[in-house]
Amino acid sequence: MKSAQWGGPPGPRPTPSSASVSSVIRLLTLALAAHTLLPAASVLLISIDGMRPDSVTRADEHGLKIPNLRRFVAQGAYAEGVTGVTPTITYPSHTTMITGVWPAEHGILGNLRFDPLLENMAGWYWYATDIRVPTLWSAAGQAGMVVASENWPASVGAPGVRYLIPEYWRARTPDDRKLIEALSRPDGWLQELESKLGPYTNGNETTLSGDELRTRYAVEILLTRKPGFMTLHLSSLDETEHETSPFSKQSNEALEALDGMIGRLVAAAVHDNPGGVVAVVSDHGFVRTDYRVNLAIPFIEHGLAKLGKPASDGAVTIESWEAEPWIAGSAAIMLRRPDDSAVRDRVKHMLTELAAKPENGIARILDSEEVKKTGGFPGAAFLVELKPGYQFGGAFSGPLVTPAPSTGTHGYLPDRPEMRSSFFILGQGITAGKNLGLIDMRQIAPTLASILSVKLESATQPVLAVSTK
């Protein structure tokens, strides 16, 4: 293997030479051939938001040129697919990957919090204080490792992370950078990096240029701070797939650009560190959609939620509610009084009538007991899943179903093959070419904990057989 295939770290810092990277990769190859398994010097966990596993395992069929990601299949272990959690969206899934438990147990139930009166200014589950179980960050930190994290969901204030740049935003303006600087640690560290690498992103910058900046920062952290465990979240592919659908020309170009970033990150992770392991994951799959279903409208029309006067900026307000959909990929139906059987019956009748019309795009309606079995949305009276091709919209008036051609989404129930996410792992002691088949997302955290030789008591799923041991 030639280091040029991995690429080198970006930015003004001197990059590892071709000879040094080749030496590191050669050491990894010799270790694999000898079937030796040493404790990993480090684990780098990279999430490519929204990457379907067949993007890599069937890259040729999709016309994708992604040599760095394909190397994980040839020289590492990989899953054909990962069965995710309910809902199959970013924040619950990322938290499961670092805790090993379902959302109902770890506490990150959606991307946005349930906000029936629209009072929370579209607030997300940004804060690690909402995670109710131990994480890989805390376990590695308690074991004395240097832990770093950049742009990982639900990481604000994450215990155990020594070098932290959280994912956070409010206005998506340059002022958001000041928020991130204030929330990063240690104090002043992000500003120190900015003086060397240039300004960091403006919060939720879900573009290739945003991911390029994050990669540049991550490479610097890997080379200078040498974390024993690091997490990194790259978000541009997900945004492109939402806008143009999976496997569109634009989505394929985005993944090919991210592949180059993966090469540089791997080169930095193994630089002077032949025991390094790199895992590339995703949080959910994706499907093309052409219609939006604005489920709040029938709740308003049936008197289950009442609109208030528009706010001074024209925004919709909710004056009162008895039942509302919590849109999180699928729609959890929440009751103001969970034991109100009359309201529950009204909602059930309304949903049944809506589902009877195929043009409304409803695939399944789960009752509360069925919802509990999914491990998501505790307290929901019902869960509404749409058919592939349909996604939920956010309108409060107008038609129930509106066109949204050549877009994409996720959030369907995790038993759908299109919702499967990715798991690829490469490095010291990892079996080359090992196909793990279909795995459970809850197995990722205990597997990485095993490689790091740390304990994650709440993660009880079986460790994946990724090593040569």
Side-chain angles (χ1 to χ4, degrees):
M1 293 166 52
K2 296 181 180 179
S3 61
Q5 294 175 302
W6 289 115
R13 178 178 175 83
T15 64
S17 67
S18 295
S20 65
V21 176
S22 293
S23 297
V24 169
I25 300 299
R26 194 177 302 113
L27 284 172
L28 287 174
T29 304
L30 289 171
L32 289 171
H35 286 240
T36 57
L37 182 65
L38 303 175
S42 67
V43 169
L44 170 62
L45 176 61
I46 306 168
S47 168
I48 300 179
D49 199 309
M51 184 177 73
R52 284 178 38 159
D54 55 326
S55 298
V56 182
T57 59
R58 295 165 58 187
D60 287 339
E61 294 179 32
H62 297 297
L64 282 158
K65 297 178 176 62
I66 47 173
N68 294 301
L69 286 164
R70 292 183 72 163
R71 189 164 292 117
F72 281 77
V73 175
Q75 299 177 358
Y78 64 97
E80 286 288 345
V82 180
T83 300
V85 299
T86 300
T88 51
I89 60 176
T90 297
Y91 273 55
S93 299
H94 277 85
T95 308
T96 290
M97 287 190 286
I98 61 164
T99 63
V101 300
W102 272 339
E105 187 172 350
H106 63 56
I108 306 301
L109 304 178
N111 289 345
L112 285 86
R113 292 178 169 278
F114 180 53
D115 183 22
L117 296 177
L118 305 182
E119 297 172 326
N120 198 33
M121 299 179 66
W124 286 44
Y125 276 95
W126 285 303
Y127 310 104
T129 50
D130 291 318
I131 303 175
R132 301 195 297 248
V133 296
T135 66
L136 285 170
W137 298 319
S138 59
Q142 289 167 7
M145 294 181 185
V146 174
V147 180
S149 183
E150 183 186 358
N151 201 52
W152 199 266
S155 65
V156 173
V161 182
R162 187 179 306 182
Y163 298 103
L164 174 64
I165 305 174
E167 179 169 274
Y168 191 77
W169 68 89
R170 288 308 285 174
R172 297 179 174 91
T173 68
D175 268 3
D176 274 7
R177 190 184 313 128
K178 298 173 186 177
L179 276 172
I180 297 172
E181 289 171 351
L183 294 169
S184 297
R185 62 171 181 253
D187 289 345
W189 173 62
L190 180 54
Q191 292 92 321
E192 177 187 330
L193 289 175
E194 288 178 309
S195 68
K196 182 176 185 178
L197 303 174
Y200 195 63
T201 66
N202 297 338
N204 191 28
E205 192 171 338
T206 55
T207 61
L208 279 172
S209 60
D211 279 347
E212 173 59 38
L213 272 173
R214 295 181 187 104
T215 297
R216 190 183 310 164
Y217 273 71
V219 166
E220 180 71 12
I221 295 165
L222 289 163
L223 293 174
T224 61
R225 304 299 172 172
K226 304 290 185 184
F229 177 56
M230 180 173 178
T231 55
L232 170 66
H233 173 221
L234 303 174
S235 59
S236 58
L237 177 64
D238 176 89
E239 183 74 9
T240 307
E241 290 174 318
H242 276 297
E243 293 173 350
T244 68
S245 79
F247 302 117
S248 67
K249 179 177 182 291
Q250 299 92 324
S251 294
N252 283 3
E253 288 173 350
L255 185 56
E256 289 175 348
L258 287 163
D259 182 74
M261 299 178 206
I262 295 298
R264 289 151 51 201
L265 288 162
V266 172
V270 301
H271 180 60
D272 290 337
N273 178 24
V277 168
V278 181
V280 175
V281 297
S282 69
D283 46 355
H284 49 72
F286 243 95
V287 297
R288 171 177 167 149
T289 54
D290 293 288
Y291 301 97
R292 290 194 177 98
V293 179
N294 301 295
L295 193 61
I297 291 172
F299 280 79
I300 294 166
E301 292 175 344
H302 284 75
L304 294 162
K306 183 179 180 182
L307 292 176
K309 294 181 180 179
S312 58
D313 62 357
V316 169
T317 66
I318 302 292
E319 181 179 300
S320 61
W321 71 289
E322 294 300 326
E324 274 192 41
W326 179 5
I327 305 300
S330 294
I333 310 304
M334 311 301 292
L335 307 186
R336 186 171 67 86
R337 296 184 299 273
D339 59 351
D340 191 329
S341 59
V343 169
R344 184 183 296 263
D345 289 344
R346 286 173 61 196
V347 172
K348 181 179 180 180
H349 179 72
M350 180 190 73
L351 293 176
T352 301
E353 286 192 333
L354 290 172
K357 299 179 179 180
E359 63 271 21
N360 290 338
I362 294 176
R364 285 183 276 187
I365 300 171
L366 276 58
D367 64 24
S368 58
E369 289 303 313
E370 292 170 319
V371 176
K372 284 180 185 178
K373 294 176 183 177
T374 72
F377 296 122
F382 303 96
L383 180 66
V384 180
E385 183 201 38
L386 297 180
K387 301 171 186 176
Y390 292 78
Q391 61 173 289
F392 283 110
F396 292 89
S397 62
L400 174 62
V401 180
T402 54
S406 300
T407 54
T409 201
H410 48 90
Y412 304 87
L413 287 168
D415 58 358
R416 291 192 181 273
E418 303 95 330
M419 288 300 100
R420 291 173 184 167
S421 58
S422 302
F423 177 75
F424 301 91
I425 189 165
L426 175 71
Q428 167 71 37
I430 304 300
T431 305
K434 179 70 174 291
N435 185 341
L436 302 166
L438 181 63
I439 69 170
D440 188 314
M441 184 175 281
R442 293 173 295 169
Q443 293 180 270
I444 293 173
T447 299
L448 298 182
S450 176
I451 293 170
L452 290 167
S453 299
V454 300
K455 293 182 179 180
L456 200 58
E457 300 291 352
S458 57
T460 59
Q461 292 294 308
V463 171
L464 297 166
V466 300
S467 75
T468 56
K469 184 184 291 184

